[in-house]
Amino acid sequence: MAEPDDASSALIAKLLQEDGGMLNPTYDGFGFDDFSSDEEEKRKRKRKRKGGRKSKPKTQKKSKPRPKKENDSGQTNKDGKPKEGKAYTPRKWTEEEETRFIEALGLYGRNWKMCAEHMQTRDAKSFRSHAQKYFIKLYRNNKPLPDKVKESGEGYTLSGKPLDPNSGAGRAYGALAPGDTGEYDPNSARATNDRLLAQARKDGSIDLSRQVLPGESRSANTKP
């Protein structure tokens, strides 16, 4: 191959200079090895960085249980249970609430929803619970039920059926005063309740085997 003449060499040198002087005009050519060493070093550094950073397995943090707040409002959800996250704490009835309670029974009887709306500070479940205790207290003190309550049943229970003073609720809330046998007395305020109860006992509509009579233990009337 013929060597370039002086004119050709000058032209090449000029072109290389116009190219910004990035290449040496006396350089004879390019080889792959001139760049491979730098590229290889970059790759090695990248591999070292990737290999040196080991990702730690992610662990799910356990959330600490939040302390339950006391709920003294008596409010419940649709299932009749205290609202989630709040511990139910019974709240004592105030004198003003007791007054509105009696008013509600006189106006709406056993319509618990309307009674609760009249109260404004208690829901229907809380009102029913208080009414059950109140009816048993009236029975113990031999006092009549409110007239509006009697319209839906003359028994001293939430349903209007006769109250059995030896039932679980009757004994729990003291339906029988000391010395009271619970027998039917035609002259008492609770006469209708006792008459209906006596009739129920006679025809067997009340399972006496499940009742605990005064002075007896529960095991005495328990079926084997």
Side-chain angles (χ1 to χ4, degrees), residues 115-131:
C115 288
E117 291 179 2
H118 181 79
M119 288 289 303
Q120 297 183 353
T121 57
R122 300 282 177 167
D123 60 11
K125 182 176 181 296
S126 178
F127 192 96
R128 284 197 310 270
S129 177
H130 198 64

Side-chain angles (χ1 to χ4, degrees), residues 146-167:
D147 292 337
K148 191 66 177 179
V149 174
K150 287 182 181 179
E151 292 179 5
S152 55
E154 297 191 66
Y156 287 69
T157 60
L158 295 177
S159 63
K161 294 180 180 180
L163 170 69
D164 182 359
N166 294 307
S167 65

Side-chain angles (χ1 to χ4, degrees), residues 56 88 98 109 125 130 140 157 208 210:
K56 296 181 180 180
Y88 174 69
E98 292 288 358
K125 182 176 181 296
H130 198 64
R140 181 180 67 242
T157 60
L208 296 178
R210 296 179 179 272

Side-chain angles (χ1 to χ4, degrees), residues 38-53:
D38 292 339
E39 293 296 328
E40 187 65 24
E41 285 296 325
K42 290 181 180 178
R43 293 192 194 99
K44 287 181 179 180
R45 286 196 293 270
K46 287 182 179 180
R47 284 196 293 269
K48 286 182 179 180
R49 286 197 297 269
K50 290 181 179 180
R53 296 178 181 176

